[in-house]
Amino acid sequence: AQSVTQLDSQVPVFEEAPVELRCNYSSSVSVYLFWYVQYPNQGLQLLLKYLSGSTLVKGINGFEAEFNKSQTSFHLRKPSVHISDTAEYFCAVSDRGSSYKLIFGSGTRLLVRP
Amino acid sequence: KAGVTQTPRYLIKTRGQQVTLSCSPISGHRSVSWYQQTPGQGLQFLFEYFSETQRNKGNFPGRFSGRQFSNSRSEMNVSTLELGDSALYLCASSPQRKGYEQYFGPGTRLTVT
């Protein structure tokens, strides 16, 4: 069964510093990959997605992620974070054969300090 | 376009009761999925509906059920509530038959006492 690992439960970083949130998934079969962000007391907002094509995908709010098939990774990056980026970030994967079912990682809380 | 709406936003129930949660997808979206979010188990897939048919179900007991109406609105029902059912229940809709891009609602926070 497909699984997603987000090794870092919390990542503290200073404002304007770069950040990388790590995500690894278990299977090398064809997948779709996503990053979602959740602010307190809200639902999930799609940051970016990888469906096919270029392995570097750009999303909203200056985030980007790189799909690495050989390492089964999809790490999220931002060159300069803001206080407003403080939130919970979830990596998710779906098999192309059952793409309506998202398997989520356990989440990484990004804490941006002034 | 209006986003995914879920009602009610907050709910408090007693053990043994049943509850019905409602989800209205984005206009034109035909796929609706439900997820449960808890601190211990994280985000878990409950089930997905497309054109009033359940296409897949997650690993939850039969107390959890759902349905979709002809206008794509969906409801989920939990019978005989247990304390462990306390969670944020998220609904997501998708425009694609294969549903690879899901848009989430704000969730319904269910507390079971």
Side-chain angles (χ1 to χ4, degrees), chain A:
Chain A
Q2 188 69 261
S3 66
V4 178
T5 302
Q6 292 180 249
L7 285 173
D8 305 307
S9 59
Q10 182 166 300
V11 173
V13 63
F14 288 107
E15 193 174 20
E16 297 184 8
V19 70
E20 178 180 84
L21 305 184
R22 297 179 294 168
C23 172
N24 288 86
Y25 60 98
S26 62
S27 174
S28 61
V29 298
S30 294
V31 295
Y32 299 131
L33 294 156
F34 309 85
W35 276 98
Y36 284 87
V37 61
Q38 186 176 36
Y39 300 100
N41 299 316
Q42 293 187 28
L44 303 175
Q45 181 183 10
L46 180 66
L47 274 178
L48 48 79
K49 63 191 180 202
Y50 171 79
L51 305 179
S52 64
S54 173
T55 57
L56 181 65
V57 293
K58 294 188 182 297
I60 62 172
N61 301 340
F63 285 94
E64 64 179 34
E66 184 153 19
F67 170 59
N68 188 317
K69 187 175 181 179
S70 62
Q71 297 186 6
T72 60
S73 67
F74 190 55
H75 300 331
L76 181 70
R77 303 185 184 99
K78 186 170 182 178
S80 176
V81 295
H82 302 287
I83 297 287
S84 59
D85 292 324
T86 294
E88 190 90 19
Y89 291 79
F90 293 93
C91 180
V93 64
S94 65
D95 288 333
R96 294 195 178 197
S98 59
S99 55
Y100 43 80
K101 177 180 176 180
L102 290 174
I103 305 298
F104 285 91
S106 55
T108 297
R109 176 161 173 73
L110 176 62
L111 181 58
V112 182
R113 297 168 174 165

Side-chain angles (χ1 to χ4, degrees), chain B:
Chain B
K1 273 186 181 178
V4 177
T5 59
Q6 293 187 245
T7 56
R9 290 292 312 277
Y10 301 91
L11 205 51
I12 300 175
K13 289 287 187 178
T14 304
R15 271 183 303 176
Q17 289 185 315
Q18 74 167 15
V19 66
T20 299
L21 312 180
S22 180
C23 171
S24 292
I26 292 171
S27 178
H29 288 195
R30 297 169 63 191
S31 170
V32 174
S33 300
W34 288 89
Y35 294 82
Q36 181 196 64
Q37 185 178 24
T38 61
Q41 300 299 317
L43 281 153
Q44 293 184 287
F45 173 79
L46 278 158
F47 28 65
E48 187 258 356
Y49 288 87
F50 180 84
S51 293
E52 302 179 66
T53 301
Q54 186 183 88
R55 290 199 292 194
N56 201 4
K57 191 175 191 300
N59 189 25
F60 280 83
R63 299 184 298 107
F64 291 82
S65 63
R67 60 176 174 169
Q68 186 180 34
F69 302 95
S70 59
N71 62 358
S72 294
R73 191 177 69 85
S74 177
E75 289 181 346
M76 68 163 281
N77 184 276
V78 187
S79 62
T80 319
L81 284 166
E82 300 177 359
L83 294 178
D85 297 333
S86 294
L88 181 67
Y89 290 89
L90 293 163
C91 167
S93 74
S94 173
Q96 301 286 344
R97 183 175 178 84
K98 283 277 188 173
Y100 49 70
E101 187 166 329
Q102 297 188 18
Y103 297 84
F104 283 79
T108 294
R109 172 76 62 187
L110 172 65
T111 302
V112 182
T113 62

